Amino acid sequence: AVDESELLTVPDGWKEPAFTREDNPKGLLEESSFATLFPKYREAYLKECWPLVQKALGEHYVNAALDLIEGSMTVTTTKKTFDPYAIIRARDLIKLLARSVPFEQAVRILQDDVACDIIKIGSLVRKRETFIKRRARLLGPKGSTLKALELLTNCYIMVQGNTVSALGPFSGLKEVRKVVLDTMKNIHPIYNIKTLMIKRELAKDPELRTQSWERFLPKFKRKNLKKRKEPKKKNTKKEYTPFPPPQPESQIDKELASGEYFLKERQKKRKQMEEIKAKQADAIKRRQEERNKAFIPPKEKPAVKTKKASTEKKIDIEAIKEKVKNAKKKKLGALPEEEVKLKMAADEKKKKKK
């Protein structure tokens, strides 16, 4: 724990006194100048607002020139300039105007408690498609992420092309740079925005001012870490031996071992020709075999033997004949004659009884 009485604190509402002519009555010894180029699409806007730029810089005795032919803006000190830092602020002003920051915001750089930071993000990502996606992530849906960042850092932020221009207090610019660089490193800006919101609430509590805030801040871990792909061919290191590898045999050594070295030129040529002829013969034989494959007849399938009809079950022909005779006697939809006669006799008996 640190005693609060030992801490040097700035009283509320205190501001550093402005730099006046009394602080530097003799002015500057040398003339300083800065120039910056601007893109073609900014020409119409700069042409329109340039009188306001000259008026704002004229209060600090700094001259401003706009060259539309060359496409550049130049600021220079004069003999009346007494503030040595005014030319640095003027340089930042023309830089911000070139990076599409409106004049109403850019002119704030001439105040003492306002600074600017132009962050180059174009070279942080290799692929152009990935860069565009991450830049859009920094803006958020309908600019909501950027607006939240502006409210938390009290800075004006302008995302344009390959740069991010920020304008505001020094503490806010530090946070903006961290968020922008993390976004380009594939860390979502919402994580940093959550951290800033927690810090803002913790700063209101005077008891926590001297304590560490690590236990309150969220810790985010990457979940989509990809494992390194192992190569298909692994190079295994051989064991170190102080002895050099054996020297490969030369052509003469091979000829000496086979005895070819002692043959005459005529014999050597004859041997080479025999080897060539033997290779040719093998090649002709292989080619002929491939051609003859088309003429080899395919193997016939074995004939399927038909099973003999089993004579175990003997058919009773007499019984079938009797069934056919009975069927002929019957009429379709009517009873047989014998049944009809029996029914007729039964009906007559009943009538007699009655």
Side-chain angles (χ1 to χ4, degrees):
V2 181
D3 189 8
E4 287 193 10
S5 60
E6 293 179 6
L7 295 170
L8 295 172
T9 56
V10 179
D12 293 335
W14 182 86
K15 282 188 177 181
E16 194 175 344
F19 194 86
T20 58
R21 186 171 283 282
E22 293 173 4
D23 297 319
N24 187 16
K26 293 182 181 180
L28 305 176
L29 294 173
E30 294 290 334
E31 183 185 285
S32 302
S33 66
F34 288 101
T36 186
L37 299 171
F38 61 87
K40 186 74 175 174
Y41 60 84
R42 291 291 289 168
E43 187 177 319
Y45 180 80
L46 291 171
K47 207 174 180 180
E48 190 180 332
C49 73
W50 198 249
L52 297 170
V53 176
Q54 286 179 322
K55 187 182 176 183
L57 292 174
E59 293 174 4
H60 297 269
Y61 304 102
V62 177
N63 288 337
L66 179 67
D67 191 349
L68 295 174
I69 298 164
E70 192 181 339
S72 65
M73 294 178 281
T74 313
V75 287
T76 53
T77 56
T78 60
K79 289 180 180 179
K80 291 183 179 180
T81 310
F82 60 88
D83 187 0
Y85 201 71
I87 188 66
I88 303 297
R89 287 180 184 149
R91 178 201 66 182
D92 292 341
L93 174 64
I94 58 173
K95 271 188 180 180
L96 290 168
L97 288 170
R99 294 313 310 150
S100 298
V101 177
F103 171 75
E104 291 79 12
Q105 292 290 341
V107 77
R108 287 171 54 210
I109 195 68
L110 300 175
Q111 298 172 15
D112 286 340
D113 57 343
V114 179
C116 75
D117 189 9
I118 296 170
I119 307 156
K120 294 179 181 178
I121 57 173
S123 59
L124 296 176
V125 184
R126 286 184 183 178
K127 289 183 180 178
R128 184 70 183 170
E129 292 173 3
T130 312
F131 168 72
I132 291 163
K133 282 180 184 176
R134 290 182 188 175
R135 187 178 63 183
R137 193 184 292 168
L138 185 64
L139 293 167
K142 296 181 182 179
S144 58
T145 307
L146 198 68
K147 191 69 183 173
L149 198 60
E150 285 181 348
L151 291 168
L152 288 166
T153 57
N154 297 322
C155 293
Y156 172 82
I157 305 165
M158 182 72 186
V159 181
Q160 176 69 23
N162 293 333
T163 58
V164 177
S165 306
L167 186 76
F170 290 99
S171 57
L173 292 175
K174 185 182 176 183
E175 296 294 342
V176 169
R177 177 171 274 273
K178 183 180 180 298
V179 173
V180 170
L181 294 176
D182 282 354
T183 306
M184 289 295 123
K185 290 175 185 174
N186 202 20
I187 298 168
H188 204 282
I190 196 68
Y191 299 141
N192 287 309
I193 286 169
K194 281 183 180 178
T195 307
L196 288 170
M197 287 170 74
I198 293 163
K199 282 182 179 178
R200 196 179 195 179
E201 293 299 318
L202 291 170
K204 292 177 184 177
D205 193 349
E207 292 180 3
L208 294 169
R209 194 174 64 176
T210 56
Q211 296 178 15
S212 177
W213 291 352
E214 282 186 15
R215 57 199 171 102
F216 301 108
L217 299 176
K219 293 176 183 178
F220 301 102
K221 291 181 180 179
R222 287 189 182 182
K223 293 180 181 179
N224 58 345
L225 287 171
K226 291 182 180 178
K227 292 182 179 179
R228 182 178 167 272
K229 289 182 179 178
E230 293 184 359
K232 289 181 180 178
K233 293 181 180 178
K234 290 184 179 180
N235 296 327
T236 53
K237 286 186 178 180
K238 294 176 182 178
E239 291 182 5
Y240 173 74
T241 53
F243 305 105
Q247 196 172 357
E249 289 185 348
S250 63
Q251 190 67 27
I252 296 167
D253 293 337
K254 289 175 184 177
E255 287 179 359
L256 284 167
S258 62
E260 194 180 339
Y261 182 78
F262 304 102
L263 297 174
K264 292 179 181 179
E265 285 293 326
R266 196 184 296 168
Q267 290 173 330
K268 284 181 183 179
K269 283 181 182 179
R270 193 188 300 154
K271 193 176 181 182
Q272 286 175 359
M273 288 299 293
E274 286 173 1
E275 287 175 1
I276 291 164
K277 283 178 181 179
K279 284 180 182 178
Q280 287 176 351
D282 289 339
I284 290 162
K285 190 181 179 181
R286 262 187 270 110
R287 213 177 299 127
Q288 196 65 36
E289 284 175 0
E290 286 177 7
R291 284 176 185 171
N292 292 337
K293 279 180 185 178
F295 301 103
I296 296 168
K299 289 181 180 179
E300 291 182 2
K301 291 179 181 179
V304 180
K305 293 180 180 179
T306 54
K307 291 180 180 179
K308 290 180 181 179
S310 58
T311 54
E312 291 175 2
K313 291 179 182 180
K314 291 181 180 179
I315 299 164
D316 193 357
I317 296 165
E318 295 297 329
I320 292 167
K321 282 180 181 179
E322 282 178 13
K323 282 182 181 178
V324 172
K325 281 178 184 179
N326 293 332
K328 282 179 182 180
K329 287 176 185 178
K330 288 179 182 180
K331 291 181 180 179
L332 291 169
L335 294 168
E337 288 178 5
E338 291 174 1
E339 286 183 13
V340 172
K341 285 176 182 179
L342 289 168
K343 274 189 176 186
M344 291 281 283
D347 291 337
E348 283 175 5
K349 282 179 183 180
K350 283 179 182 179
K351 283 176 183 181
K352 284 176 183 181
K353 284 178 182 180
K354 286 177 182 181

